[in-house]
Amino acid sequence: MEIHRVAVIGSGQMGTGVAQITARAGFETVLFKVTEGPVDAGRQKIAKALQREVEKQRCTEQELQDTLARLECTNRIHDLTDCHLVIESIVEDIDAKKNLFRRLEDVVRETGIFATNTSTLSVTALAEATRRPERVIGLHFFNPAPVMKLVEIVPTLRTHAAVLGAVQLFTQKLEKTGVVVRDFTGFVVNRLLTPYLVDAIRTLQEGLGSISALDSAMQLGANHPMGPLALADFIGLDTVLHMASNLYEEYREPRLTPPPLLRRLVLCGYLGRKSGKGFYDYSTTPPTPNDWLVGNPT
């Protein structure tokens, strides 16, 4: 079972990142846009990212042109028919992902593999919503996909051994390190990371220290490259909320309950870097801590 043509569903930050690395690794890549707007926006994002790599001498101009030549952008689902591997990277909502897989199985060849880039949802639940559960697997990339070296590979109890082998080889060709993990909510990284993030938010909420104090403490005291609140902003506070909610639903551990402060930030549209404001205000350079979140708004 060989993979030559890959589809990536979703042209947000993660989807374009995955499409960039698959096309650059030599795979014919179809970037499928599920939301409204010009389909070529994903190509423009990838071209800009690769141009920065050229400027930093991490990529040649020829590699840039070859990568873009292997990239097709579309919003027509029938353009995915001949893809050997389809990687969904849409909103972290299990019903949306199930509906997408149901649409895809009427279009994509029967030998095609369906992969989900979910960070915390059950791969088994997604697989069992299809007529081909043995051909469904988790491929959890990390953000930013062109930089992060890890991919969690998540087979279900019904995933065919040949499918697992094919995606392991695919991951190697991307020059990523694939780690095979069991299908339990959160897998490995987010099962360990999410409690850390929500603990940090709860610690801030309880007034143990300021935003910069908490982040500096973990950077300098634990040798982390980024503090937990800056990291939550980077991931996206809506995503962190989904992660915590999904983990709590699975394990019912009180520690995993999303803190009220996190819920209110998401309700206000303060999602972190992608919205320009979260625990930090990204309209300034460097970003300014929003310490008023747990103090006097004035």
PDB file of all heavy atoms in Angstrom, residues 198-224:
ATOM      1  N   VAL A 198      -4.200  24.134  32.025  1.00  0.00           N
ATOM      2  CA  VAL A 198      -5.351  24.575  32.825  1.00  0.00           C
ATOM      3  C   VAL A 198      -4.944  24.853  34.270  1.00  0.00           C
ATOM      4  O   VAL A 198      -5.514  25.745  34.919  1.00  0.00           O
ATOM      5  CB  VAL A 198      -6.541  23.586  32.747  1.00  0.00           C
ATOM      6  CG1 VAL A 198      -7.077  23.497  31.337  1.00  0.00           C
ATOM      7  CG2 VAL A 198      -6.189  22.222  33.280  1.00  0.00           C
ATOM      8  N   ASP A 199      -3.929  24.135  34.782  1.00  0.00           N
ATOM      9  CA  ASP A 199      -3.413  24.448  36.114  1.00  0.00           C
ATOM     10  C   ASP A 199      -2.810  25.851  36.137  1.00  0.00           C
ATOM     11  O   ASP A 199      -2.979  26.606  37.104  1.00  0.00           O
ATOM     12  CB  ASP A 199      -2.354  23.430  36.530  1.00  0.00           C
ATOM     13  CG  ASP A 199      -2.945  22.178  37.150  1.00  0.00           C
ATOM     14  OD1 ASP A 199      -4.160  22.180  37.465  1.00  0.00           O
ATOM     15  OD2 ASP A 199      -2.207  21.193  37.335  1.00  0.00           O
ATOM     16  N   ALA A 200      -2.090  26.211  35.065  1.00  0.00           N
ATOM     17  CA  ALA A 200      -1.484  27.543  34.991  1.00  0.00           C
ATOM     18  C   ALA A 200      -2.564  28.621  34.949  1.00  0.00           C
ATOM     19  O   ALA A 200      -2.454  29.659  35.624  1.00  0.00           O
ATOM     20  CB  ALA A 200      -0.584  27.643  33.765  1.00  0.00           C
ATOM     21  N   ILE A 201      -3.618  28.380  34.168  1.00  0.00           N
ATOM     22  CA  ILE A 201      -4.712  29.360  34.076  1.00  0.00           C
ATOM     23  C   ILE A 201      -5.420  29.474  35.422  1.00  0.00           C
ATOM     24  O   ILE A 201      -5.755  30.576  35.878  1.00  0.00           O
ATOM     25  CB  ILE A 201      -5.691  28.960  32.958  1.00  0.00           C
ATOM     26  CG1 ILE A 201      -4.985  28.995  31.599  1.00  0.00           C
ATOM     27  CG2 ILE A 201      -6.916  29.882  32.955  1.00  0.00           C
ATOM     28  CD1 ILE A 201      -5.774  28.369  30.461  1.00  0.00           C
ATOM     29  N   ARG A 202      -5.623  28.352  36.078  1.00  0.00           N
ATOM     30  CA  ARG A 202      -6.278  28.375  37.392  1.00  0.00           C
ATOM     31  C   ARG A 202      -5.383  29.084  38.420  1.00  0.00           C
ATOM     32  O   ARG A 202      -5.874  29.824  39.286  1.00  0.00           O
ATOM     33  CB  ARG A 202      -6.569  26.935  37.832  1.00  0.00           C
ATOM     34  CG  ARG A 202      -7.559  26.810  38.975  1.00  0.00           C
ATOM     35  CD  ARG A 202      -7.971  25.371  39.199  1.00  0.00           C
ATOM     36  NE  ARG A 202      -8.877  24.899  38.171  1.00  0.00           N
ATOM     37  CZ  ARG A 202      -8.576  23.960  37.274  1.00  0.00           C
ATOM     38  NH1 ARG A 202      -7.398  23.381  37.283  1.00  0.00           N
ATOM     39  NH2 ARG A 202      -9.469  23.595  36.376  1.00  0.00           N
ATOM     40  N   THR A 203      -4.078  28.876  38.310  1.00  0.00           N
ATOM     41  CA  THR A 203      -3.132  29.536  39.213  1.00  0.00           C
ATOM     42  C   THR A 203      -3.190  31.054  39.030  1.00  0.00           C
ATOM     43  O   THR A 203      -3.178  31.818  40.002  1.00  0.00           O
ATOM     44  CB  THR A 203      -1.706  29.022  38.945  1.00  0.00           C
ATOM     45  OG1 THR A 203      -1.654  27.624  39.243  1.00  0.00           O
ATOM     46  CG2 THR A 203      -0.682  29.735  39.798  1.00  0.00           C
ATOM     47  N   LEU A 204      -3.274  31.495  37.766  1.00  0.00           N
ATOM     48  CA  LEU A 204      -3.421  32.923  37.486  1.00  0.00           C
ATOM     49  C   LEU A 204      -4.750  33.439  38.037  1.00  0.00           C
ATOM     50  O   LEU A 204      -4.806  34.502  38.684  1.00  0.00           O
ATOM     51  CB  LEU A 204      -3.353  33.166  35.974  1.00  0.00           C
ATOM     52  CG  LEU A 204      -3.623  34.601  35.525  1.00  0.00           C
ATOM     53  CD1 LEU A 204      -2.489  35.526  35.943  1.00  0.00           C
ATOM     54  CD2 LEU A 204      -3.830  34.658  34.000  1.00  0.00           C
ATOM     55  N   GLN A 205      -5.795  32.686  37.813  1.00  0.00           N
ATOM     56  CA  GLN A 205      -7.138  33.068  38.260  1.00  0.00           C
ATOM     57  C   GLN A 205      -7.190  33.250  39.777  1.00  0.00           C
ATOM     58  O   GLN A 205      -7.890  34.116  40.286  1.00  0.00           O
ATOM     59  CB  GLN A 205      -8.099  31.967  37.815  1.00  0.00           C
ATOM     60  CG  GLN A 205      -9.545  32.146  38.143  1.00  0.00           C
ATOM     61  CD  GLN A 205     -10.354  30.955  37.629  1.00  0.00           C
ATOM     62  OE1 GLN A 205     -10.682  30.880  36.466  1.00  0.00           O
ATOM     63  NE2 GLN A 205     -10.648  30.014  38.513  1.00  0.00           N
ATOM     64  N   GLU A 206      -6.415  32.422  40.483  1.00  0.00           N
ATOM     65  CA  GLU A 206      -6.412  32.471  41.942  1.00  0.00           C
ATOM     66  C   GLU A 206      -5.472  33.544  42.480  1.00  0.00           C
ATOM     67  O   GLU A 206      -5.368  33.728  43.693  1.00  0.00           O
ATOM     68  CB  GLU A 206      -6.037  31.098  42.496  1.00  0.00           C
ATOM     69  CG  GLU A 206      -7.100  30.040  42.214  1.00  0.00           C
ATOM     70  CD  GLU A 206      -6.638  28.631  42.554  1.00  0.00           C
ATOM     71  OE1 GLU A 206      -5.465  28.471  42.978  1.00  0.00           O
ATOM     72  OE2 GLU A 206      -7.445  27.699  42.395  1.00  0.00           O
ATOM     73  N   GLY A 207      -4.749  34.238  41.583  1.00  0.00           N
ATOM     74  CA  GLY A 207      -3.935  35.364  42.003  1.00  0.00           C
ATOM     75  C   GLY A 207      -2.580  35.018  42.575  1.00  0.00           C
ATOM     76  O   GLY A 207      -1.973  35.832  43.287  1.00  0.00           O
ATOM     77  N   LEU A 208      -2.044  33.825  42.248  1.00  0.00           N
ATOM     78  CA  LEU A 208      -0.739  33.447  42.793  1.00  0.00           C
ATOM     79  C   LEU A 208       0.403  34.251  42.180  1.00  0.00           C
ATOM     80  O   LEU A 208       1.488  34.342  42.751  1.00  0.00           O
ATOM     81  CB  LEU A 208      -0.484  31.947  42.587  1.00  0.00           C
ATOM     82  CG  LEU A 208      -0.995  31.054  43.730  1.00  0.00           C
ATOM     83  CD1 LEU A 208      -2.519  31.004  43.713  1.00  0.00           C
ATOM     84  CD2 LEU A 208      -0.411  29.655  43.607  1.00  0.00           C
ATOM     85  N   GLY A 209       0.182  34.821  41.022  1.00  0.00           N
ATOM     86  CA  GLY A 209       1.210  35.627  40.380  1.00  0.00           C
ATOM     87  C   GLY A 209       0.652  36.259  39.129  1.00  0.00           C
ATOM     88  O   GLY A 209      -0.433  35.899  38.657  1.00  0.00           O
ATOM     89  N   SER A 210       1.390  37.193  38.561  1.00  0.00           N
ATOM     90  CA  SER A 210       0.977  37.833  37.318  1.00  0.00           C
ATOM     91  C   SER A 210       1.240  36.916  36.135  1.00  0.00           C
ATOM     92  O   SER A 210       1.907  35.876  36.259  1.00  0.00           O
ATOM     93  CB  SER A 210       1.750  39.145  37.128  1.00  0.00           C
ATOM     94  OG  SER A 210       3.129  38.870  36.913  1.00  0.00           O
ATOM     95  N   ILE A 211       0.745  37.308  34.959  1.00  0.00           N
ATOM     96  CA  ILE A 211       0.970  36.530  33.736  1.00  0.00           C
ATOM     97  C   ILE A 211       2.458  36.380  33.472  1.00  0.00           C
ATOM     98  O   ILE A 211       2.966  35.266  33.244  1.00  0.00           O
ATOM     99  CB  ILE A 211       0.254  37.198  32.547  1.00  0.00           C
ATOM    100  CG1 ILE A 211      -1.263  37.091  32.710  1.00  0.00           C
ATOM    101  CG2 ILE A 211       0.693  36.572  31.219  1.00  0.00           C
ATOM    102  CD1 ILE A 211      -2.068  37.932  31.744  1.00  0.00           C
ATOM    103  N   SER A 212       3.183  37.494  33.496  1.00  0.00           N
ATOM    104  CA  SER A 212       4.618  37.427  33.207  1.00  0.00           C
ATOM    105  C   SER A 212       5.365  36.660  34.291  1.00  0.00           C
ATOM    106  O   SER A 212       6.339  35.948  34.000  1.00  0.00           O
ATOM    107  CB  SER A 212       5.198  38.826  33.028  1.00  0.00           C
ATOM    108  OG  SER A 212       4.940  39.617  34.176  1.00  0.00           O
ATOM    109  N   ALA A 213       4.905  36.766  35.554  1.00  0.00           N
ATOM    110  CA  ALA A 213       5.569  36.029  36.633  1.00  0.00           C
ATOM    111  C   ALA A 213       5.415  34.526  36.446  1.00  0.00           C
ATOM    112  O   ALA A 213       6.382  33.763  36.584  1.00  0.00           O
ATOM    113  CB  ALA A 213       5.003  36.463  37.989  1.00  0.00           C
ATOM    114  N   LEU A 214       4.206  34.083  36.119  1.00  0.00           N
ATOM    115  CA  LEU A 214       3.972  32.646  35.928  1.00  0.00           C
ATOM    116  C   LEU A 214       4.761  32.113  34.737  1.00  0.00           C
ATOM    117  O   LEU A 214       5.376  31.040  34.807  1.00  0.00           O
ATOM    118  CB  LEU A 214       2.479  32.380  35.748  1.00  0.00           C
ATOM    119  CG  LEU A 214       1.589  32.656  36.961  1.00  0.00           C
ATOM    120  CD1 LEU A 214       0.129  32.444  36.618  1.00  0.00           C
ATOM    121  CD2 LEU A 214       1.989  31.781  38.140  1.00  0.00           C
ATOM    122  N   ASP A 215       4.745  32.856  33.631  1.00  0.00           N
ATOM    123  CA  ASP A 215       5.468  32.392  32.448  1.00  0.00           C
ATOM    124  C   ASP A 215       6.976  32.399  32.682  1.00  0.00           C
ATOM    125  O   ASP A 215       7.678  31.442  32.318  1.00  0.00           O
ATOM    126  CB  ASP A 215       5.106  33.260  31.236  1.00  0.00           C
ATOM    127  CG  ASP A 215       3.821  32.802  30.560  1.00  0.00           C
ATOM    128  OD1 ASP A 215       3.297  31.739  30.955  1.00  0.00           O
ATOM    129  OD2 ASP A 215       3.351  33.490  29.640  1.00  0.00           O
ATOM    130  N   SER A 216       7.482  33.460  33.307  1.00  0.00           N
ATOM    131  CA  SER A 216       8.921  33.523  33.576  1.00  0.00           C
ATOM    132  C   SER A 216       9.353  32.420  34.534  1.00  0.00           C
ATOM    133  O   SER A 216      10.439  31.831  34.383  1.00  0.00           O
ATOM    134  CB  SER A 216       9.293  34.889  34.165  1.00  0.00           C
ATOM    135  OG  SER A 216       9.088  35.915  33.224  1.00  0.00           O
ATOM    136  N   ALA A 217       8.504  32.112  35.514  1.00  0.00           N
ATOM    137  CA  ALA A 217       8.838  31.070  36.483  1.00  0.00           C
ATOM    138  C   ALA A 217       9.056  29.725  35.798  1.00  0.00           C
ATOM    139  O   ALA A 217      10.014  29.002  36.103  1.00  0.00           O
ATOM    140  CB  ALA A 217       7.735  30.969  37.537  1.00  0.00           C
ATOM    141  N   MET A 218       8.176  29.383  34.856  1.00  0.00           N
ATOM    142  CA  MET A 218       8.309  28.092  34.186  1.00  0.00           C
ATOM    143  C   MET A 218       9.425  28.102  33.134  1.00  0.00           C
ATOM    144  O   MET A 218      10.061  27.080  32.892  1.00  0.00           O
ATOM    145  CB  MET A 218       6.971  27.693  33.557  1.00  0.00           C
ATOM    146  CG  MET A 218       5.884  27.394  34.579  1.00  0.00           C
ATOM    147  SD  MET A 218       6.399  26.215  35.868  1.00  0.00           S
ATOM    148  CE  MET A 218       6.699  24.737  34.893  1.00  0.00           C
ATOM    149  N   GLN A 219       9.654  29.242  32.515  1.00  0.00           N
ATOM    150  CA  GLN A 219      10.765  29.329  31.565  1.00  0.00           C
ATOM    151  C   GLN A 219      12.110  29.195  32.277  1.00  0.00           C
ATOM    152  O   GLN A 219      12.979  28.438  31.835  1.00  0.00           O
ATOM    153  CB  GLN A 219      10.725  30.664  30.817  1.00  0.00           C
ATOM    154  CG  GLN A 219       9.666  30.739  29.730  1.00  0.00           C
ATOM    155  CD  GLN A 219       9.698  32.075  29.025  1.00  0.00           C
ATOM    156  OE1 GLN A 219       9.186  33.071  29.524  1.00  0.00           O
ATOM    157  NE2 GLN A 219      10.294  32.098  27.852  1.00  0.00           N
ATOM    158  N   LEU A 220      12.260  29.928  33.363  1.00  0.00           N
ATOM    159  CA  LEU A 220      13.553  29.976  34.029  1.00  0.00           C
ATOM    160  C   LEU A 220      13.715  28.878  35.083  1.00  0.00           C
ATOM    161  O   LEU A 220      14.833  28.425  35.338  1.00  0.00           O
ATOM    162  CB  LEU A 220      13.746  31.352  34.682  1.00  0.00           C
ATOM    163  CG  LEU A 220      13.666  32.542  33.719  1.00  0.00           C
ATOM    164  CD1 LEU A 220      13.796  33.853  34.484  1.00  0.00           C
ATOM    165  CD2 LEU A 220      14.734  32.440  32.635  1.00  0.00           C
ATOM    166  N   GLY A 221      12.601  28.457  35.679  1.00  0.00           N
ATOM    167  CA  GLY A 221      12.680  27.448  36.725  1.00  0.00           C
ATOM    168  C   GLY A 221      12.586  26.022  36.227  1.00  0.00           C
ATOM    169  O   GLY A 221      13.123  25.107  36.855  1.00  0.00           O
ATOM    170  N   ALA A 222      11.899  25.825  35.102  1.00  0.00           N
ATOM    171  CA  ALA A 222      11.743  24.479  34.547  1.00  0.00           C
ATOM    172  C   ALA A 222      12.403  24.335  33.181  1.00  0.00           C
ATOM    173  O   ALA A 222      12.279  23.297  32.544  1.00  0.00           O
ATOM    174  CB  ALA A 222      10.256  24.117  34.454  1.00  0.00           C
ATOM    175  N   ASN A 223      13.059  25.409  32.727  1.00  0.00           N
ATOM    176  CA  ASN A 223      13.773  25.412  31.445  1.00  0.00           C
ATOM    177  C   ASN A 223      12.847  25.157  30.264  1.00  0.00           C
ATOM    178  O   ASN A 223      13.238  24.523  29.288  1.00  0.00           O
ATOM    179  CB  ASN A 223      14.915  24.383  31.448  1.00  0.00           C
ATOM    180  CG  ASN A 223      15.983  24.709  30.421  1.00  0.00           C
ATOM    181  OD1 ASN A 223      16.196  25.878  30.083  1.00  0.00           O
ATOM    182  ND2 ASN A 223      16.658  23.696  29.906  1.00  0.00           N
ATOM    183  N   HIS A 224      11.608  25.658  30.357  1.00  0.00           N
ATOM    184  CA  HIS A 224      10.679  25.558  29.237  1.00  0.00           C
ATOM    185  C   HIS A 224      10.946  26.703  28.259  1.00  0.00           C
ATOM    186  O   HIS A 224      11.204  27.834  28.684  1.00  0.00           O
ATOM    187  CB  HIS A 224       9.232  25.639  29.723  1.00  0.00           C
ATOM    188  CG  HIS A 224       8.787  24.434  30.483  1.00  0.00           C
ATOM    189  ND1 HIS A 224       7.471  24.210  30.824  1.00  0.00           N
ATOM    190  CD2 HIS A 224       9.478  23.367  30.969  1.00  0.00           C
ATOM    191  CE1 HIS A 224       7.372  23.069  31.484  1.00  0.00           C
ATOM    192  NE2 HIS A 224       8.576  22.544  31.585  1.00  0.00           N
TER     193      HIS A 224
END
